[in-house]
């Protein structure tokens, strides 16, 4: 059992080397109704589907993923939120076959 865990941890570590982008994904929840505000993704991977707000970590985010989530929520949904209001609830690694390796990404999910 322990050998399986070590092998799994090594595989996870090896995937970190293949992550090409880091992104934020924010699900905005209306407090009064507990409903999630979603948007239709306009283009790219998942285009035309419902999703939260988010996108690429940019240089002007100063390496801060929460800052990216705040910026993207405003750019995509005209919603102003504070970094302190975001709670990170997950990190999801998307790993694609070698011919699409440039799509590999780490997504930080916030509520």
């Amino acid at each position: 059992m322990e050998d399986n865990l070590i092998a799994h941890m090594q595989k996870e570590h090896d995937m970190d080397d293949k992550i090409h982008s880091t992104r934020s994904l924010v699900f905005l929840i209306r407090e009064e109704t507990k409903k999630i505000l979603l948007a239709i993704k306009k283009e790219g991977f998942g285009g035309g589907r419902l999703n939260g707000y988010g996108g690429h970590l940019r240089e002007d985010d100063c390496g801060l993923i929460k800052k990216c989530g705040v910026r993207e929520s405003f750019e995509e949904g005209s919603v102003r939120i504070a970094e302190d209001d975001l709670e990170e609830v997950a990190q999801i690694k998307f790993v694609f076959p070698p011919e699409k390796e440039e799509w590999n990404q780490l997504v930080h999910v916030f509520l």
Side-chain angles (χ1 to χ4, degrees), residues 8 14 17 24 26 32 48-49 59 72 77-78 80 93 96-97 99 109:
H8 177 74
D14 292 346
D17 297 338
S24 65
V26 179
E32 312 83 60
R49 294 197 160 89
E59 190 174 314
E72 290 284 355
S78 299
R80 292 191 187 276
K93 290 180 187 173
F96 293 87
E99 62 273 9
V109 182

Side-chain angles (χ1 to χ4, degrees), residues 14 18 24 26 35 37 41 46 51-52 63-66 71 76-77 79 83 86 92 96 99 102 107:
D14 292 346
K18 296 178 180 173
S24 65
V26 179
K35 290 186 177 180
L37 177 63
K41 188 163 177 10
N51 204 354
L64 302 173
I65 196 66
K66 278 188 173 184
R71 176 183 52 75
E76 295 177 4
V79 177
E83 287 180 46
L86 294 178
I92 304 170
F96 293 87
E99 62 273 9
E102 69 277 5
V107 179

